Amino acid sequence: MTMTTQTEIERKYDVDEKAVLPDLSEIAAVEPAGEAELEAEYFDTENGDLAAHRIVLRRRRGGGDEGWHIKLPAAEGRTELHWPLTDDDAPPREVVDQVRSRVRGRDLVVIARLRTHRSLTHLVTDEGAPLLEVADDRVSATDATSGTLRLWREWEVELLDGAPGSASERSTLLDAVEERLVSAGATPSASRSKLATALGRTDLDGGSGASDAAAPDLDASSPAAAVLLVAVGALVDDLARIDPLVRGDEHDAVHQLRTRIRRLRSLFASYRSVFDREVTDPLRDRLREVGTSLGEARDAEVMRDRARSLLEDHEPQSRDVKRLPGALAEEYATAHARAVTELDGERWLSLLDDLDAFVARPALTADAMETVSDAVPPALHADLHRVLTRAKAARRADSEDERVLLLHDVRKAAKRLRYAAEAVSQGDAAVFGKKTRKFAAAAEAVHDLLGEHRDSMLMQQHLRETAGSEPSAFDYGVLHEVERHGAALCLADYPAALAELRSFK
């Protein structure tokens, strides 16, 4: 099934049966847009896993957008995913894949059934472009668990494709409509969605979920555990958020998921003075296993993209070489399919459950409550020492092959340092400032140079293994030389980047 995506920006208002929609023609031209009878079934697990994250999954019949819908929180409004209507009693796999990282292996069941009589009015520009839609809804809803029937009427104002381009202009338009609706007896709805109202709530999570919790007020005097758990919690949530992007083969999604996995592993390793290793070491091992299983897809993606870039800049003459990106794209598709199989498996889904449990009930050491200003600097400098020790070993390598392997170790150590520093200088856990961000940037520079060097070496190896007889061998040789030169430039810049990082010692 084909999925479409749109942003839904709307406001809802409670009205009584006697209310009359006011004249809105002073705002824009008004056009009646017909009526519709809507039937909807809403799905969630028995534990309310979707509601806890303010996610709505429904099947709607009737109206211009009937089908399967998922609504996700967004920076402005909500993101709505839509699939065509099917006869399935349960959500189809394509739909479930978008929330599998939230529901894990738990069954989706009907939690509410709604019937809505909808009368529509559109506001349009002078050119006829639709600005917004006002829906006058009379709703009959049944809570499938308790059997409770709830009846209500509401006005729903939703922006359409012709709405203003800026957030401030959109808000001004909605405010103007709201002023007239309120003057006609409407009141802003206490409930965020029809599903919440059907379940007798003001919010999907009942007001008890993490979604409503404000970020804790943290500073350098806060306990180390409080700060680092904010960073860990954000990463754990990212795993579930990025999972459906990998399944949908969105650009860079595999890389983003592996990066979050590595960041989590790095935090558990770098801050072992805070987290109980008896609990976090097994979690690190399990994260590593999943990350390794995704590595094949990531490496194939890198190779495919490097090949495309090489051929864009250096047009080959032979057909064999021209087919290189296509062959690597096929390798990536196969590897990506294996990655999705991994995400479907018990290893990944149970790991997500256990990481959620860790965030809810963290395993901490006796030193976890020392201030973050006391706990973090020693950890960062220990990671820096680790980078510099590995760099010294690489300089003393007996052969070029050994040096390449040891530089790979330097890269991984620099990455761990970078992640540990960024965890406490970016996002909601940012209690350290400019100096720590510069420290992280210096580690990133070393990591990026050696990462580019590694990718180039892998491409050189692939080109050597793939090269055939004339005339393609010449083209492969040209591309190999381009890659070899690029790798040499990375190594040329590496000493200065390492010296910059060493200055933080």
Side-chain angles (χ1 to χ4, degrees), residues 168-185:
S168 61
E169 290 175 318
R170 290 192 291 270
S171 182
T172 298
L173 174 60
L174 290 170
D175 287 345
V177 174
E178 179 171 301
E179 180 181 354
R180 286 158 178 77
L181 297 185
V182 169
S183 68

Side-chain angles (χ1 to χ4, degrees), residues 53-381:
H53 296 280
R54 292 199 182 130
I55 297 173
V56 171
L57 193 169
R58 76 182 178 200
R59 173 176 57 188
R60 173 187 276 174
R61 298 180 179 89
D65 66 342
E66 69 175 7
W68 292 95
H69 300 158
I70 291 178
K71 296 187 179 185
L72 305 167
E76 184 183 12
R78 291 184 292 183
T79 299
E80 182 174 307
L81 313 180
H82 177 261
W83 295 262
L85 186 65
T86 66
D87 294 330
D88 302 88
D89 292 331
R93 179 190 170 94
E94 293 90 338
V95 178
V96 177
D97 277 350
Q98 293 296 317
V99 294
R100 197 176 300 278
S101 60
R102 299 297 187 187
V103 304
R104 319 285 158 78
R106 295 177 278 277
D107 292 335
L108 288 163
V109 297
V110 176
I111 58 170
R113 294 180 173 87
L114 274 69
R115 291 178 177 271
T116 303
H117 177 80
R118 169 166 288 182
S119 300
L120 295 172
T121 300
H122 284 179
L123 267 62
V124 301
T125 65
D126 293 340
E127 295 75 23
L131 286 170
L132 60 78
E133 178 179 86
V134 181
D136 184 353
D137 291 344
R138 288 173 167 81
V139 187
S140 169
T142 302
D143 183 328
T145 302
S146 66
T148 302
L149 175 66
R150 294 182 172 90
L151 307 174
W152 72 92
R153 184 187 178 197
E154 68 181 29
W155 288 340
E156 187 176 279
V157 180
E158 180 177 350
L159 295 180
L160 299 177
D161 292 343
S166 73
S168 61
E169 290 175 318
R170 290 192 291 270
S171 182
T172 298
L173 174 60
L174 290 170
D175 287 345
V177 174
E178 179 171 301
E179 180 181 354
R180 286 158 178 77
L181 297 185
V182 169
S183 68
T187 57
S189 178
S191 176
R192 295 198 182 199
S193 73
K194 284 183 170 64
L195 174 58
T197 305
L199 300 177
R201 307 170 184 171
T202 57
D203 206 346
L204 290 174
D205 63 5
S208 61
S211 304
D212 272 332
D217 189 11
L218 301 171
D219 56 34
S221 65
S222 299
V227 174
L228 293 172
L229 282 170
V230 169
V232 169
L235 289 171
V236 170
D237 191 65
D238 272 354
L239 297 182
R241 178 183 60 81
I242 298 171
D243 170 291
L245 304 182
V246 175
R247 296 173 187 274
D249 199 13
E250 296 291 334
H251 173 69
D252 205 41
V254 173
H255 173 56
Q256 292 301 321
L257 186 58
R258 288 190 77 213
T259 296
R260 298 316 192 278
I261 288 173
R262 285 171 168 168
R263 285 181 182 274
L264 260 180
R265 295 187 70 240
S266 294
L267 291 195
F268 288 149
S270 296
Y271 298 113
R272 58 187 64 190
S273 67
V274 174
F275 301 121
D276 183 353
R277 290 187 62 181
E278 289 189 6
V279 176
T280 58
D281 278 0
L283 287 174
R284 288 188 70 233
D285 290 342
R286 294 166 66 190
L287 285 163
R288 176 181 52 77
E289 290 170 356
V290 175
T292 299
S293 71
L294 298 175
E296 182 185 0
R298 175 54 184 165
D299 288 345
E301 183 179 36
V302 169
M303 298 286 277
R304 178 201 66 188
D305 293 345
R306 290 188 79 87
R308 289 173 176 171
S309 179
L310 277 172
L311 267 65
E312 285 176 0
D313 296 335
H314 305 276
E315 181 66 28
Q317 299 302 311
S318 66
R319 292 181 180 178
D320 284 349
V321 179
K322 289 181 178 179
R323 287 196 291 264
L324 180 62
L328 289 171
E330 291 179 5
E331 291 183 17
Y332 168 72
T334 301
H336 176 264
R338 282 196 286 267
V340 172
T341 299
E342 171 67 33
L343 299 186
D344 281 340
E346 177 63 21
R347 179 165 66 175
W348 172 243
L349 298 178
S350 64
L351 176 57
L352 291 177
D353 277 338
D354 291 343
L355 288 169
D356 280 346
F358 179 86
V359 173
R361 297 175 297 279
L364 304 175
T365 67
D367 296 330
M369 300 312 292
E370 70 175 340
T371 65
V372 69
S373 59
D374 289 333
V376 165
L380 294 182
H381 282 88

Side-chain angles (χ1 to χ4, degrees), residues 424-442:
V424 293
S425 61
Q426 296 181 4
D428 289 336
V431 297
F432 290 85
K434 186 176 181 180
K435 183 177 180 180
T436 304
R437 289 193 292 272
K438 286 186 174 180
F439 195 7

